[in-house]
């Protein structure tokens, strides 16, 4: 297994790697073994200013490049990412911990997004519509917003960055990106790839540093007209408040408390597989992770048995080892938060079926591992059934019927993803209508989004915007209405309309 080569990172501003204006830095550790991977600068507002100046001047020129040519850069980016897929995936596993198979999947998501948004360069559709006046033409076009700020989390350090930066770039914006301090290596790689693909200097700028300094400076920077954020609810709400008072557009993708419903006619083997993959993939550190199962009382015992047996077969360890199914938690703070929730669950009266503790023996001793954990006899009011844990913990809640299951699913403050296992076509259609989440899966777990569909949630998960799909363009563009009068005279809308003409 490879050992780390410590990288000392710099910011990427105006097409160059630049020393930050502060001496401060912090180390980045591999959560699988605590090896040091990188030293990342803790930049400050001056670095954001420098990035903003570069972005403003670059954006003016970039917006004038025809969109299909802008798209060519993304297409080349996709090709380079494809070539470097294995390198990127291994680095991703080292900085984030997710197992190599999932890391490859995440990089693939970025590649898919590059090709998808490259296609968008030849669409960027607006509308044409008749004018109410003679000899007059009306249309609407998407115009770039200008300079956009993106703030990304550590759990999908390359995919989420591509979901945000690629639509912004194809639409003619310049980007200032603050990646999570825990996972800067994917940002280092992606900036280099976009540069290699021919992205003009200043169109993408990366400023490393803490959210409280760099993130806040981005919000305060007037030239940044949009903040697109993925992360926790607490931080997202804070950003929304500050952007609101500055009349800055803001797109928020935040937490989830995603539920799977298992009806008594479900294929239980498939359901158990889907639950396990969604609950313990990426060690439960996905915004779409399944953390609640509303199971019909008639099949509860059988599902419990299947889940416990399958969980016992999961191999835990360093995700670079192809045989490992569950990797580490991002850091010790994450481990403590998960342990705390397990303790809360037990004190609330939930029954622990398996797991429930940190794993630190033998080969796992230097890493941040938590045993895949299953609770049963959970009730909807318990904290473990309502709050986001962000770890490999899933809670089974017994229900009497479909209506009760949907009701419990919808009771939480979040609305990201949900799923149902059933063979009843009537319940399938009722579920896709009634589950109050931005994403609904039928006979699959709560994870598995594809990049050409909108990604995001209802209620406390976001503020109505979507990453991915064509919808991703919305926050990075302004609608411009254009009227072309070719009558040669002044025609006043609503006034000079001739009746019957
Ligand atoms: P955080 O909210 O802690 O951090 C997310 C990003 O925001 C990081 O880059 C962080 O910087 C930055 N940040 C922190 N404080 C501020 C601030 N005051 N102003 C501006 N930026 C700030 O979330 P996590 O990184 O812990 O990610 C986990 C969370 O993300 C979970 O709640 C999860 O559900 C959610 N998530 C949602 C997804 C979705 O699409 N709905 C997808 C993936 C995750 P730094 O850490 O460097 O200080």
């Amino acid at each position: 297994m490879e050992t780390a080569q410590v990288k000392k990172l710099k910011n990427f501003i105006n097409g160059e790697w630049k020393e930050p204006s502060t001496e401060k830095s912090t180390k980045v550790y591999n959560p699988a073994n605590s090896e040091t991977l990188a030293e990342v600068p803790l930049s400050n507002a001056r670095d954001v200013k420098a990035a903003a100046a570069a972005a403003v001047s670059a954006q003016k020129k970039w917006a004038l490049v025809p969109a299909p040519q802008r798209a060519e850069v993304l297409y080349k980016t996709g090709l380079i990412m494809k070539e470097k897929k294995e390198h990127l995936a291994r680095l991703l596993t080292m900085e984030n911990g997710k197992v190599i198979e999932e890391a490859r999947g995440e990089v693939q998501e970025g590649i898919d997004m590059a090709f998808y948004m490259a296609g968008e360069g030849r669409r960027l559709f607006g509308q044409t519509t008749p004018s109410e006046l003679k000899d007059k033409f009306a249309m609407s076009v998407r115009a770039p917003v200008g300079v956009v700020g993106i703030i990304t989390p550590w759990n999908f350090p390359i995919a989420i960055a591509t979901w945000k930066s690629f639509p912004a770039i194809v639409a003619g914006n310049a980007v200032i990106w603050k990646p999570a301090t825990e996972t800067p290596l994917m940002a280092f790689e992606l900036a280099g790839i976009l540069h290699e693909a021919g992205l003009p200097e200043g169109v993408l700028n990366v400023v490393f540093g803490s959210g409280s300094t760099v993130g806040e400076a981005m919000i305060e920077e007037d030239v940044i007209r949009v903040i697109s954020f993925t992360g926790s609810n607490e931080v997202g709400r804070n950003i929304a408040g500050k952007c609101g008072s500055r009349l800055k557009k803001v797109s928020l993708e935040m937490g989830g408390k995603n539920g799977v419903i298992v009806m008594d006619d479900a294929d239980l083997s498939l359901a158990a597989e889907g639950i396990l993959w969604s609950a313990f993939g990426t060690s439960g550190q996905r915004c779409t992770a399944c953390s609640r199962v509303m199971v019909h009382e008639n099949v509860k015992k059988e599902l419990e048995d299947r889940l416990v047996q399958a969980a016992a077969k999961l191999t835990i360890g360093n995700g670079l080892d192809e045989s490992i199914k569950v990797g580490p938690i991002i850091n010790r703070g994450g481990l403590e938060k998960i342990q705390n929730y397990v303790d809360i669950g037990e004190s609330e009266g939930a029954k622990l079926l398996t797991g429930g503790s940190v794993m630190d023996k033998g080969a796992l001793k230097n890493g941040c591992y938590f045993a895949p954990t299953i609770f049963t006899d959970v009730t909807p009011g318990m904290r473990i059934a309502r709050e986001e844990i962000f770890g490999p913990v899933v809670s089974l809640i017994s229900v009497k019927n479909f209506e009760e299951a949907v009701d419990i699913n919808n009771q939480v403050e979040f609305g990201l993803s949900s799923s149902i296992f059933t063979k009843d076509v009537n319940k399938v259609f009722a579920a896709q209508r009634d589950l109050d989440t931005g994403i609904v899966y039928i006979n699959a777990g709560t994870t598995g989004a594809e990049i050409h569909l909108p990604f995001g949630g209802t209620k406390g998960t976001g503020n109505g915007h979507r990453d991915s799909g064509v919808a991703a363009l919305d926050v990075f563009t302004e609608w411009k209405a254009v009227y072309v009068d070719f009558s040669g005279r002044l025609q006043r809308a609503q006034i000079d309309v001739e009746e019957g003409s």
Side-chain angles (χ1 to χ4, degrees), residues 276-344:
L276 228 66
W277 167 239
S278 295
F280 302 141
T282 318
S283 308
Q285 303 168 108
R286 288 171 173 156
C287 48
T288 52
C290 163
S291 60
R292 301 179 294 153
V293 177
M294 279 63 75
V295 55
H296 195 285
E297 59 188 4
N298 293 348
V299 293
K300 173 174 171 263
K301 179 75 179 72
E302 191 181 341
L303 186 70
E304 283 172 5
D305 292 346
R306 283 175 183 270
L307 287 173
V308 171
Q309 278 164 25
K313 292 190 190 129
L314 291 172
T315 43
I316 324 286
N318 187 331
L320 283 181
D321 177 339
E322 303 270 355
S323 69
I324 294 296
K325 293 290 175 216
V326 181
I329 300 301
I330 188 71
N331 54 31
R332 303 219 173 263
L335 280 183
E336 275 167 31
K337 184 179 168 203
I338 298 162
Q339 186 66 67
N340 188 39
Y341 269 110
V342 169
D343 297 345
I344 289 169

Side-chain angles (χ1 to χ4, degrees), residues 152 154-155 178 181 211 216 229-232 254-255 287 388 455:
T152 52
W154 48 262
N155 67 338
K178 193 214 91 60
T181 306
E216 299 269 348
F229 167 84
T230 296
S232 62
M254 303 180 291
C287 48
E388 187 179 49
F455 182 95

Side-chain angles (χ1 to χ4, degrees), residues 87-209:
H87 164 73
L88 292 170
R90 297 189 87 76
L91 211 52
L92 171 51
T93 292
M94 288 165 82
E95 73 169 350
N96 166 283
K98 67 179 62 178
V99 298
I100 187 69
E101 188 185 26
E102 290 181 49
R104 289 185 190 117
E106 181 178 341
V107 175
Q108 186 59 44
E109 221 172 313
I111 296 168
D112 293 343
M113 187 53 95
F115 293 142
Y116 178 66
M117 279 298 154
E120 213 37 63
R122 287 196 178 265
R123 289 185 291 267
L124 281 179
F125 293 138
Q127 302 101 26
T128 57
T129 184
S131 164
E132 65 189 36
L133 291 160
K134 269 187 186 169
D135 297 335
K136 193 172 172 188
F137 185 82
M139 61 187 162
S140 65
V141 294
R142 284 188 188 273
V145 174
V147 176
V148 310
I150 69 175
I151 300 177
T152 52
W154 48 262
N155 67 338
F156 280 83
I158 193 159
I160 292 177
T162 66
W163 293 359
K164 295 180 187 299
S165 63
F166 291 177
I169 287 170
V170 83
N173 300 284
V175 177
I176 299 175
W177 173 20
K178 193 214 91 60
T181 306
E182 298 281 358
T183 51
L185 291 174
M186 285 299 103
F188 168 80
E189 293 286 331
L190 189 57
I193 290 172
L194 280 158
H195 186 62
E196 190 184 336
L199 190 71
E201 56 196 33
V203 177
L204 177 92
N205 305 277
V206 180
V207 183
F208 294 108

